[in-house]
């Protein structure tokens, strides 16, 4: 029987189903798993674009396991090794750990090795290894830093990393998205570190529930790339699996300077109507924050801790000694001297940032103020090197202030932004940095 033309036209052109709205996390995981869509709660197997580990988490643990299995690396070009935790070598144990890493890198002919160039979470993106759309894993809890570039990156242990470096794959459960939406603009002297301390103080260290936390809104979009890295980095302290920021022109400019391969920054964002939980914040109302011992969750506005005497001010770590952080400290200290009896330590996050700070006169301003320059490595943040000492009070730009984290269990460690730490060094006590920036 012949079908009338009008009927044939109707049958031939069905109405297309609308695209299912997806969060940024879902889009990244879908790409990695070879799917168009993934749903929250699904367990999927993802191809890994990059595996990063350092001297502490990597070869000394992976090498014996690989040898026992008789296994080979799936793709050395997708592996990045950074020596940052036990350098410079100070004792026989650190020399052994670093020697294992260097020898293994030569044995495996790894093409991407950064030895004593700075902290992995800063060095790896500075060399263009992390780009929008990627799925990456890192052998360190602060690996979510990569989420600042629109990549899905999270930390894994040595056993999981073994599976990755042999197969190039990892499974994960598609997470919920918790969106932290920041309206307004940050006041002068208030930074991404203050945003994070505020969020951790509000939600606690398990507030992220090992889900994907996405930072968004006008205040986030206005942040520099290095400030965005601070947000994503400390999503670990918020208890998230990943800390994501949609890539944009700021991302593209950073990657261009890093000579990274071209990447599509326009494809990676959360769709309108995607299912998520949103929390709203007003950046304009935010004050500098300080976290008291012995948890980042002990965070309140700086006025609650103002006047607390300090013995050591430490500006270091991946979350507190990048070029932007060093510039902030110099804004406070230029032309001044630190208070009598206060020790100010500066440990730049990478050689590249250190040299740029030197070229800009930032390092000179800090050393003129009385700062001691320490190596570009994890150092005191990971409890390595010179301990902070017993029964002293430290204010630090690091991400964590757990008991004993910086050496002595009797040290009292406060956390703050580079502005806040520099202001404390200047006055010898916890101070609102806006008072000295005015």
């Amino acid at each position: 029987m012949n079908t009338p033309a009008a009927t044939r036209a109707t049958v031939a052109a069905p109405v297309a189903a609308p695209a299912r709205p997806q969060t940024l996390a879902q889009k990244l995981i879908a790409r990695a798993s070879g799917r168009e869509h993934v749903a929250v709660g699904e367990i999927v197997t993802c191809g890994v674009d990059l595996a990063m580990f350092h001297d502490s988490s990597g070869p000394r643990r992976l090498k014996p396991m690989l040898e026992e299995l008789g296994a080979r690396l799936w793709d050395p070009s997708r592996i990045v090794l950074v020596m940052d935790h036990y350098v410079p070598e100070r004792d026989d144990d650190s020399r052994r750990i670093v020697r294992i890493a260097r020898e293994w890198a030569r044995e495996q002919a790894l093409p991407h090795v950064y030895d004593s160039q700075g902290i992995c979470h800063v060095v790896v993106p500075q060399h263009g290894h992390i780009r929008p759309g990627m799925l990456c894993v890192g052998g360190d809890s602060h690996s979510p830093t990569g989420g600042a570039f629109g990549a899905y990156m999270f930390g894994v242990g040595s056993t999981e990393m073994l599976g990755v470096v042999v197969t190039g794959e990892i499974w994960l459960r598609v997470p919920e998205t918790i969106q932290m939406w920041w309206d307004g603009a940050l006041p002068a002297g208030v930074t991404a570190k203050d945003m994070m301390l505020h969020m951790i103080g509000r939600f606690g260290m398990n507030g992220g529930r090992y889900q994907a936390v996405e930072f968004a809104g006008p205040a986030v979009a206005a942040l520099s790339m290095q400030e965005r890295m601070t947000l994503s980095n400390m999503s670990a302290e918020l208890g998230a699996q990943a800390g994501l920021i949609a890539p944009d022109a700021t991302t593209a400019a950073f990657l261009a300077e890093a000579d990274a391969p071209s990447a599509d920054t326009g494809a990676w964002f959360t769709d309108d109507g995607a299912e998520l939980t949103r929390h709203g914040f007003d950046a304009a109302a935010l004050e500098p924050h300080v976290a008291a011992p012995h948890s980042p969750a002990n965070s309140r506005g700086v006025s609650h801790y103002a006047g607390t005497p300090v013995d050591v001010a430490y500006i270091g770590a991946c979350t507190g000694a990048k070029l932007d952080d060093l510039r902030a400290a110099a804004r406070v200290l230029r032309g001044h001297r630190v208070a009598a009896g206060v020790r100010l330590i500066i440990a730049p996050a990478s050689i590249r940032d250190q040299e740029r700070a030197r070229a800009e006169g930032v390092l000179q301003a800090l050393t003129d103020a009385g700062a001691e320059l320490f190596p570009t490595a994890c150092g005191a943040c990971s409890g390595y090197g010179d301990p902070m000492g017993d029964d002293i009070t430290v204010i630090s730009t690091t991400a964590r202030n757990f008991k004993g984290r910086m050496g002595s269990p009797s040290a009292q460690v406060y956390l703050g932004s580079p502005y806040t730490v520099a202001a404390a060094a200047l006055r010898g006590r916890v101070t609102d940095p806006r008072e000295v920036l005015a």
Side-chain angles (χ1 to χ4, degrees):
M1 182 175 71
N2 292 331
T3 304
T7 305
R8 287 200 304 269
T10 301
V11 170
V15 176
R20 195 182 318 165
Q22 298 268 282
T23 64
L24 172 57
Q26 288 173 297
K27 289 180 180 181
L28 292 167
I29 293 169
R31 185 209 67 82
S33 61
R35 308 257 302 271
E36 288 191 11
H37 303 279
V38 292
V40 170
E42 283 189 282
I43 295 175
V44 296
T45 299
C46 296
V48 174
D49 297 298
L50 182 81
M52 179 277 293
F53 39 81
H54 46 62
D55 48 341
S56 180
S57 67
R60 67 169 173 155
R61 305 185 191 282
L62 293 174
K63 181 180 179 179
M65 292 191 288
L66 286 165
E67 290 174 348
E68 184 177 352
L69 291 173
R72 299 170 60 87
L73 300 180
W74 109 96
D75 187 348
S77 72
R78 294 176 182 265
I79 293 173
V80 181
L81 170 62
V82 183
M83 271 69 101
D84 62 358
H85 273 57
Y86 288 95
V87 291
E89 305 97 298
R90 294 174 177 266
D91 52 33
D92 288 343
D93 193 44
S94 61
R95 281 187 282 274
R96 178 187 63 82
I97 293 168
V98 175
R99 184 184 69 250
I100 291 170
R102 289 170 176 158
E103 290 176 352
W104 188 76
R106 286 193 294 270
E107 291 168 7
Q108 300 296 328
L110 296 184
H112 306 302
V113 179
Y114 300 97
D115 190 341
S116 306
Q117 294 298 300
I119 303 170
C120 58
H121 309 298
V122 178
V123 170
V124 172
Q126 282 185 338
H127 286 82
H129 291 292
I130 303 174
R131 303 180 295 280
M134 295 176 70
L135 187 136
C136 313
V137 297
D140 188 277
S141 60
H142 284 115
S143 296
T145 306
F149 297 87
Y152 201 93
M153 189 167 185
F154 57 102
V156 298
S158 297
T159 305
E160 285 180 294
M161 185 62 78
L162 174 67
V164 169
V165 300
V166 172
T167 69
E169 296 181 334
I170 193 169
W171 67 267
L172 56 81
R173 180 183 182 276
V174 180
E176 303 167 30
T177 289
I178 303 170
Q179 190 179 71
M180 305 298 191
W181 184 273
W182 284 84
D183 279 311
L186 290 174
V190 183
T191 70
K193 181 66 170 288
D194 300 303
M195 296 166 74
M196 273 312 308
L197 290 178
H198 176 72
M199 287 184 280
I200 298 167
R202 175 172 164 180
F203 296 107
M205 293 194 67
N206 292 317
R209 298 185 288 108
Y210 204 59
Q211 305 303 308
V213 171
E214 180 182 349
F215 305 103
V220 173
L223 294 175
S224 70
M225 203 64 236
Q226 290 196 334
E227 283 282 84
R228 296 179 188 189
M229 289 165 67
T230 296
L231 286 184
S232 294
N233 178 291
M234 289 191 67
S235 63
E237 279 66 48
L238 195 58
Q241 181 183 62
L244 304 174
I245 299 174
D248 57 13
T250 299
T251 321
F254 183 98
L255 293 173
E257 187 177 356
D259 292 325
S262 60
D264 184 0
T265 59
W268 305 106
F269 58 91
T270 290
D271 294 328
D272 291 339
E275 187 175 346
L276 52 79
T277 299
R278 174 182 284 187
H279 300 288
F281 305 87
D282 179 8
L286 186 67
E287 65 174 308
H289 271 55
V290 168
H294 293 283
S295 170
N298 293 336
S299 173
R300 304 176 74 181
V302 65
S303 58
H304 291 278
Y305 304 112
T308 303
V310 300
D311 302 297
V312 177
Y314 184 84
I315 296 175
C318 49
T319 193
K322 301 181 288 298
L323 180 58
D324 283 355
D325 303 316
L326 301 177
R327 287 168 174 163
R331 280 191 61 198
V332 172
L333 292 168
R334 185 174 277 110
H336 302 288
R337 293 283 298 180
V338 301
V342 174
R343 186 183 185 196
L344 172 61
I345 298 171
I346 306 289
S350 75
I351 292 291
R352 179 175 294 184
D353 280 353
Q354 176 176 286
E355 292 312 308
R356 289 181 178 179
R358 191 186 308 279
E360 293 180 10
V362 166
L363 276 190
Q364 190 66 52
L366 295 173
T367 54
D368 285 349
E372 303 172 47
L373 189 62
F374 270 41
T376 51
C378 292
C381 178
S382 59
Y384 178 69
D386 296 328
M388 291 293 102
D390 296 329
D391 302 317
I392 63 170
T393 299
V394 181
I395 186 164
S396 173
T397 62
T398 53
R400 293 173 182 163
N401 59 341
F402 304 147
K403 191 171 186 176
R405 172 79 179 182
M406 299 183 76
S408 173
S410 66
Q412 302 293 303
V413 180
Y414 291 77
L415 302 178
S417 77
Y419 283 121
T420 302
V421 173
L426 182 63
R427 290 194 171 174
R429 60 186 186 276
V430 174
T431 298
D432 187 329
R434 295 173 297 184
E435 296 176 9
V436 297
L437 285 170

